[in-house]
Amino acid sequence: MLNEKMLALGSNRSTIRELFEYGKMRAAIVGAENIYDFSLGNPSVPSPPEVNEAIRAILAEEPSIAVHGYTSAVGDNNARDAIADNLNRRFGTSYTRDNLYLTCGAAASLICAFRALITGDDSEIISIAPFFPEYRAFVESNGGIFTLIPADTENFQIRFDLLGEAISEKTKAVIINSPNNPSGVIYSEETIKSLAALLTEKSEQAGHPIYLISDEPYRELVYSDKKAPFTANYYKNTIICYSYSKSLSLPGERIGYVLIPNEADNRIDLFNAVAGAGRGSGYVCAPSLMQRVIARCSDVMPDISSYRKNRDFLYNALTDIGYECADPSGAFYLFVKAPNGDADCFAEIAKKYDLLLVSGKDFGCDSFFRAAYCVDYDMIVRSIPSFKKAYDEAVNRS
Ligand code: PLP
């Protein structure tokens, strides 16, 4: 007898992975240069040079038994000190290592946060469409209820009327992701302030904190003057889940952190519950070499110029054709309205022109598709005639 939830998760491949595999199959037939694959959110710029320099220096300077050994369960002091210093300088906070629990990327951070809060079958975590589909898997496989608030398809902010109605006593947390995958939109300061006010009011009504889990792997990938507001400065019961996967192009190295702010209610217990969730999930002691890299590179910022160049070209080319896009202020995704209003159907039409796009259905927004522009610039240029043909076919059919 197997765990049915785990069996289902392991047996069903994600739509994005299927599309990626399909692309490889088509490439073998028509040639890789004729496939326009916008499916995966895998960074296309190399890690900043400081990262490899740090790795070389660590290997040269530190004893290998230490470099490859266990660190303390919560993470190395030097790395946590460096992260706290960086955040304090940028966001006017006063964190120390004691606010930080190092993990294996944002996925592990999120699971630690969910597991720390889910207390039984009626524990609910609410997210807002469009959303990162793994949230559902993470919450449900850890015994919680996952609820999704429909998208604001005009501005991709938050439909507070619907969120306000949905929050109840069983709600443990609301999870947000800004800059957002898949929309590329950044929540405005006004949105974060309204969210903080709503959660404060609802926490009082419920008689317990309703946490804000802020999933921020794209925090540093911003193309407008308006930076993503630092959520913990607006709402005390925030749990920040961060990752270096996108900012330092290190997705395979599995390094990130959970941050519990000083102001959070029962801060020590909350931190210990997160650490306990890490222990219970076997995530203790994030990769040791990467912890050392972060200790040396916490101030390194990504060079986002190629993403910006890709974004500008793709956005302009698509809007010239007639597509409508969400405001692409951050991350590396364009979220585009399907010209026929049905993203599943449009993604199939696009495939005929070897254009691999992800339908927004899995993201909770079925009239939009996602194009990840963390790809080769020349491929984007070559793909535009296919975007035009797919657009014309979709419009003619509808
Ligand atoms: N959250 C969001 C919104 C993401 O887009 C991703 C990865 O694409 C993750 C979390 C997981 O990130 P990590 O690779 O650090 O586990």
Side-chain angles (χ1 to χ4, degrees), residues 210-242:
I210 296 173
Y211 291 92
L212 174 63
I213 301 177
S214 185
D215 179 26
E216 307 185 358
Y218 302 95
R219 186 202 292 145
E220 271 62 64
L221 305 187
V222 171
Y223 313 100
S224 78
D225 296 340
K226 288 189 201 125
K227 300 281 172 237
F230 188 69
T231 43
N233 283 349
Y234 294 81
Y235 184 62
K236 65 176 182 168
N237 286 318
T238 295
I239 302 174
I240 289 185
C241 295
Y242 185 79

Side-chain angles (χ1 to χ4, degrees), residues 104-107 110 132 135 177 181 215 217-218 243 245-246 251 254 333:
C104 309
L110 291 164
F132 180 56
Y135 296 160
N177 164 229
N181 173 13
D215 179 26
Y218 302 95
S243 155
S245 294
K246 318 288 171 168
R254 316 308 300 137
Y333 307 104

Side-chain angles (χ1 to χ4, degrees), residues 50-51 54 78-87 89-90 100 219-220 242 244 247-248 257 290-302:
E50 290 90 334
V51 169
N78 292 336
R80 292 190 298 148
D81 288 348
I83 297 166
D85 286 351
N86 172 272
L87 295 173
R89 256 179 275 120
R90 291 166 64 202
L100 291 154
R219 186 202 292 145
E220 271 62 64
Y242 185 79
Y244 294 92
S247 58
L248 295 184
Y257 61 77
M290 286 304 124
Q291 294 194 42
R292 287 172 154 75
V293 169
I294 298 308
R296 295 177 186 231
C297 295
S298 63
D299 288 341
V300 174
M301 286 290 138

Side-chain angles (χ1 to χ4, degrees), residues 183-204:
S183 73
V185 169
I186 297 175
Y187 284 158
S188 67
E189 186 176 35
E190 195 191 334
T191 293
I192 299 297
K193 281 184 175 164
S194 304
L195 182 58
L198 179 68
L199 293 181
T200 305
E201 181 196 321
K202 293 287 179 181
S203 298
E204 272 161 24

